[in-house]
Amino acid sequence: MGGIDLLTGLSGTWDGPNRLWLRPTEAPHESQSTATVLPVIGGRFVRIDYTWAYQGEPQEGSLLVGYETEDDVVTAVWTDSWHMGDKLMVCRGVAEASGSVDVRGSYAVQSGPDWGWRTVIRSRDDGTFVMIMYNITPEGTEALAVEAVYTRAAPR
């Protein structure tokens, strides 16, 4: 399993606040979020399915993460109902020594060159985990786009 041990350890149901920045200089849009972390395909991959809302409209996303042992690289496929629509983003990156996962992909923009997207998943000492996403300009400037902080959900 290697580089996705952190994600496997997060298996279960989570909830918490989600913040979305449309522009770095504006206040974020806030909503409640849920996440389900599930090892799949014999534990070789981990899928994170999550929900959130934009202006009261429910949204959902999914991130499938794997680790290629031979190349020592984390790979992921990401999509969601708001950012990606009917497209998939393929991402590649690393598993940090701390256990966090950091992957990058890109998406097409009609009016110019492709933009980048970076997703970081990190567990914190207080038992929560965060999923942070950054928009990256063609020049390489990163801007915070999404931050979700998840706490393990109480059993229902």
Side-chain angles (χ1 to χ4, degrees), residues 70-152:
E70 186 175 312
D71 295 328
D72 189 29
V73 65
V74 175
T75 55
V77 177
W78 174 65
T79 192
D80 79 347
S81 56
W82 194 77
H83 296 92
M84 296 302 295
D86 62 355
K87 294 178 176 57
L88 297 171
M89 181 184 294
V90 176
C91 304
R92 294 175 61 83
V94 297
E96 304 287 346
S98 65
S100 65
V101 171
D102 188 331
V103 295
R104 295 169 187 255
S106 63
Y107 62 95
V109 176
Q110 287 182 352
S111 61
D114 290 357
W115 281 54
W117 192 257
R118 177 178 170 216
T119 302
V120 177
I121 302 167
R122 177 180 302 128
S123 80
R124 302 193 316 189
D125 291 339
D126 63 2
T128 63
F129 85 90
V130 294
M131 184 164 55
I132 305 168
M133 298 176 174
Y134 301 89
N135 216 1
I136 307 169
T137 66
E139 297 77 34
T141 303
E142 286 189 1
L144 184 59
V146 176
E147 180 185 58
V149 180
Y150 293 108
T151 301
R152 213 170 269 284

